[in-house]
Amino acid sequence: LLFCFWVFFPFAFSCFIVVWWLTMGCGSSTPEAAPATGADNGHRRTPADDPAEIGKSNAIDRQLERDRQQDELKVKLLLLGAGESGKSTIFKQMRIIYGTPRSEDDLRMYGVVVRSNVVTAVRKLCQLLKSLDVESQLAGESAADPEDTMSPNEAYELLRAHLIDGNGPPLEEETNGGADWVGHSARAGLGPNNDAKLFLQLWRPIKILWESRTLKEVWQKRAQVNIIDGHKDYLQDVSRIASSSFKPTTQDILLARVKTTQVVMERYRIDGIEFEMYDVGGQRSERRKWLDCFDNVDAVLFVAALSEYDQKLAEARRTNRMIEALELFRSVCNNRAFSNSQTSIMLFLNKKDVFAEKILYSDIAAQPEFKDYAGPPRDFNHGVLYFIQRFKECLISDEQEFKDSFIHVTCATDTNNMEFVLDSTRTIIMTDNLRRSGFLGNG
């Protein structure tokens, strides 16, 4: 027993000393903080006290303020309106007047679209000719050009077989010259490229049929099948469009119809002010995308086609196009995003040239939707004033004001007309912005 005591006691005592030292000595001690010295005045130095960091922070603040001021000066324009009213044409005019020239890739794409547009128009005309039951009139006609070896009736039968029935004989592609400059454009899409190829195979019968007296009569009833009015210029110039050296002109581009299926934005710097213009699709199926563009809009340019008073919607065959435009305008004017005083709404009554031609043979009062029209028939001014009043009646609130200076009667394909209109619109918007900001009086 004595032996065990002398063996284990020193070992146990050593363990006790080690544990006591760890808990009471090392474990509770912490290094003393270094005393504060002079420049810190008793406080730790932080990044905020560093002159270099302060300089960087101030520079960032100044840049943020410049960006904010620049953003306040930026003008956001939103083009709204029903489909085929001319919004995209106005969008293209902005680029012609204030933007950069088109690239060759753009021109090739538009070349395909132009040729495709011709085929689309002729396809609809052939369908209309058949539905009007005037095919027999073609049988007695001769080609307008004595050098043409095909009669208008033969041209119609060939076109109908290929463009409607789909059972025409094989064709060879024929350009009016050598190698074709336009060629194929992937940007235009499969359908337009196929139609452009058909155009090069069928341009001669298209020309012969277009020059016939019967088709001139059918053209006046084009509203029944919603043919683009401006494509008459293409049909009158088929030989040029079929030429191997064909390169679309500015006017060709303005008349070209490409359905807008997404929001498109372009920026322009005009007199030191940055403008953002947004173009959107006008068909009913595309309007759900409009909401994404409604924030911080300075001005809405609402486009309605005067000439569509006797036409129906492509997507709703029983709905008058002008009635659709009026209802759409009503909803835009009374939308909470625009009904405040921060957004100017400009009305562009477009296609005045087509309207002036159409009222000579299509009476406004003959349309059930506009039977209350009391002005003289075939009178341009009375017709325009009637539709201006109809649009003004869309304003629900008595507090809403729609100045005559905010209404423009336009021809979107006329660059001179649009340059004047867009310049006037820009001045009105900038003046309105200054007035809302308090820099001008309320007068």
Side-chain angles (χ1 to χ4, degrees), residues 195-214:
D195 278 350
K197 183 177 180 180
L198 264 178
F199 170 83
L200 292 178
Q201 296 169 328
L202 295 169
W203 72 270
R204 289 187 186 277
I206 288 173
K207 178 176 178 292
I208 292 168
L209 181 62
W210 171 250
E211 292 173 347
S212 68
R213 294 187 303 275
T214 302

Side-chain angles (χ1 to χ4, degrees), residues 28-42:
S28 63
S29 65
T30 55
E32 292 187 10
T37 58
D40 290 326
N41 295 322

Side-chain angles (χ1 to χ4, degrees), residues 82-195:
E84 299 181 6
S85 57
K87 300 185 301 300
S88 295
T89 306
I90 292 172
F91 191 74
K92 287 184 277 190
Q93 285 283 21
M94 279 289 288
R95 177 162 179 171
I96 290 169
I97 297 168
Y98 301 113
T100 56
R102 297 281 179 183
S103 67
E104 291 210 338
D105 188 49
D106 289 338
L107 294 177
R108 286 190 167 88
M109 186 269 289
Y110 277 110
V112 169
V113 170
V114 168
R115 289 170 173 175
S116 171
N117 286 168
V118 174
V119 170
T120 300
V122 172
R123 184 181 286 118
K124 290 182 176 181
L125 285 170
C126 288
Q127 291 170 335
L128 182 58
L129 192 152
K130 184 178 181 180
S131 66
L132 293 173
D133 198 23
V134 293
E135 294 170 297
S136 58
Q137 294 183 25
L138 284 172
E141 283 197 56
S142 301
D145 187 344
E147 295 185 3
D148 288 326
T149 58
M150 188 182 292
S151 69
N153 189 57
E154 290 171 332
Y156 166 70
E157 292 293 342
L158 182 62
L159 291 169
R160 191 183 72 176
H162 282 280
L163 302 182
I164 300 175
D165 300 334
N167 58 5
L171 296 167
E172 291 185 5
E173 188 172 315
E174 178 190 356
T175 56
N176 191 10
D180 185 39
W181 183 85
V182 171
H184 178 94
S185 172
R187 289 174 58 197
L190 181 61
N193 275 287
N194 289 339
D195 278 350

Side-chain angles (χ1 to χ4, degrees), residues 332-367:
V332 167
C333 287
N334 298 291
N335 188 290
R336 285 180 298 177
F338 308 133
S339 57
N340 57 53
S341 59
Q342 300 304 309
T343 303
S344 304
I345 298 180
M346 321 289 289
L347 174 62
F348 285 17
L349 294 177
N350 193 34
K351 302 188 180 183
K352 65 177 183 178
D353 54 330
V354 181
F355 177 73
E357 174 197 339
K358 186 178 280 189
I359 58 174
L360 299 178
Y361 56 82
S362 180
D363 189 9
I364 297 172
Q367 314 308 316

Side-chain angles (χ1 to χ4, degrees), residues 299-314:
V300 172
L301 309 185
F302 189 93
V303 187
L306 277 169
S307 60
E308 293 184 344
Y309 64 89
D310 65 346
Q311 293 178 241
K312 304 294 183 184
L313 285 179

